[in-house]
Amino acid sequence: MDLYIIIILFLVIAVMRVIQKVCNKVSSEQITENRTFFAYGTLYQCVAAAFALIMVAFTGFHDFNGGLIVCSVLSAILFAVDLFSGIEAVKGCSIAVATMFSLGGLVISVVVSYFWFGEDIKVHQIIGLVIFFISAYLLSSKDGKNGEKISAKTFIMLFVNFLANGFVMVVQKYFALKVEGANTPLFSFLTFMFCGLLMGICYLFTLRKTKRLFEPTVQTKKEPVLNKKLLVCGILLALALFLINIIITEMGKTIPSIIVFPISSAICIIIATLVGYFVFKEKLSAKKIVGLFIGIISIIIIGI
């Protein structure tokens, strides 16, 4: 794959990751009940599936096999866990912290790729990875939503998000290297479709439960389950996840995990920190500025 194309793809991944985190930040303030959460999840997964289906129409419906189905189902479950934990986590911390924990899952992928897929890891890349986590620590230490220490609940959600994203990367890598044919657009379509169905079933269940437990005595005007902010966030999030899934899966066929995930993650954390500062007025201390520069250094070292 041409170097310039790789750089462009890394930048696209980073921008899409930031869109994902911004959407989680905005939606976290709008989602206050399970019904809204499942409706939101159903929306963006179905829209993402529609994007993938358009690509399938051009690339073809081929290499449909058991490995494809298993990987799609696992990805769908992990995406659902990722959405829930990501929204809950960002309620109690900044975008930079949520992004750091989310993308920190790359360690899981790098370790699995080394022992399972036989990918080589250079000494300087390990050093770069260590520097990356030093940068992430500086960007996240003692950084709750209002500058206070992160709560136990928020930390648990961050850790769950860390695991979910890490295993998403592992499944994507396994599909790219081990599944016969590795039809990436079809994989993305089935992943989003299965997750959308899962979210939709949960949404219908919450509707039944609500009707059974709550009978209004006064006729009031019904408010939409999803307001305009959630609708916009859902569409943008669908586009972001669709592009991330397609690009990372395709890059995983030829580029080692030690390069793909750390570089895209480091770029993403830097952009997320700047977006949090300029858009959401989150504090940018001297420690965070140092963390940004160290993050840039880690990108250079890993990418050599």
Side-chain angles (χ1 to χ4, degrees), residues 4 34 41 79 119 124 138 163 181 188 211 257 297:
Y4 294 106
N34 291 336
F79 272 139
E119 292 185 348
H124 73 271
L138 293 174
L163 294 176
S188 297
K211 290 180 180 179
S257 298
I297 293 173

Side-chain angles (χ1 to χ4, degrees), residues 21-286:
K21 297 306 170 185
V22 171
C23 288
N24 281 350
K25 186 75 171 181
V26 174
S27 61
S28 69
E29 300 172 354
Q30 307 295 318
I31 296 176
T32 57
E33 58 181 3
N34 291 336
R35 183 173 65 116
T36 307
F37 167 74
F38 289 123
Y40 179 67
T42 302
L43 168 68
Y44 89 79
Q45 291 290 349
C46 289
V47 173
F51 285 137
L53 185 59
I54 293 173
M55 183 168 283
V56 171
F58 287 97
T59 59
F61 192 89
H62 56 83
D63 295 304
F64 186 84
N65 50 55
L68 171 66
I69 296 175
V70 171
C71 288
S72 299
V73 171
L74 288 175
S75 292
I77 295 173
L78 290 169
F79 272 139
V81 175
D82 172 61
L83 174 64
F84 174 75
S85 58
I87 289 177
E88 288 299 310
V90 83
K91 289 180 180 179
C93 67
S94 68
I95 292 178
V97 177
T99 303
M100 186 276 289
F101 271 85
S102 172
L103 300 179
L106 65 91
V107 173
I108 297 174
S109 176
V110 169
V111 172
V112 170
S113 295
Y114 177 76
F115 287 102
W116 194 5
F117 303 130
E119 292 185 348
D120 189 25
I121 301 177
K122 303 291 191 301
V123 174
H124 73 271
Q125 291 176 323
I126 296 176
I127 295 173
L129 193 61
V130 173
I131 294 175
F132 164 74
F133 280 104
I134 293 175
S135 168
Y137 170 76
L138 293 174
L139 288 170
S140 64
S141 59
K142 293 184 179 179
D143 188 24
K145 188 175 182 180
N146 299 311
E148 74 280 4
K149 188 176 181 180
I150 294 175
S151 67
K153 177 185 176 182
T154 299
F155 181 79
I156 291 173
M157 289 297 102
L158 287 170
F159 184 67
V160 171
N161 201 240
F162 163 85
L163 294 176
N165 274 278
F167 284 109
V168 162
M169 296 176 193
V170 171
V171 173
Q172 289 171 331
K173 191 70 178 183
Y174 178 87
F175 172 79
L177 296 179
K178 300 295 184 179
V179 175
E180 183 180 355
N183 187 336
T184 303
L186 184 57
F187 168 61
S188 297
F189 167 67
L190 291 177
T191 294
F192 296 130
M193 183 191 71
F194 286 142
C195 193
L197 288 174
L198 175 62
M199 291 284 190
I201 291 172
C202 292
Y203 172 68
L204 293 176
F205 178 78
T206 58
L207 285 182
R208 288 190 57 188
K209 189 175 180 180
T210 302
K211 290 180 180 179
R212 193 177 303 151
L213 297 179
F214 178 67
E215 293 294 337
T217 56
V218 180
Q219 191 70 22
T220 58
K221 183 180 179 180
K222 292 185 178 180
E223 295 184 359
V225 179
L226 300 177
N227 57 34
K228 290 182 179 179
K229 286 186 178 181
L230 288 177
L231 288 174
V232 173
C233 284
I235 295 173
L236 290 176
L237 184 59
L239 177 62
L241 289 180
F242 164 69
L243 290 176
I244 290 170
N245 199 54
I246 288 288
I247 294 173
I248 288 184
T249 305
E250 280 298 309
M251 291 178 74
K253 294 178 180 179
T254 55
I255 304 175
S257 298
I258 189 64
I259 295 178
V260 173
F261 298 123
I263 292 181
S264 61
S265 298
I267 294 173
C268 181
I269 289 177
I270 292 171
I271 296 177
T273 302
L274 295 176
V275 169
Y277 175 75
F278 288 107
V279 179
F280 295 100
K281 308 303 178 183
E282 296 174 348
K283 295 181 179 180
L284 189 59
S285 62

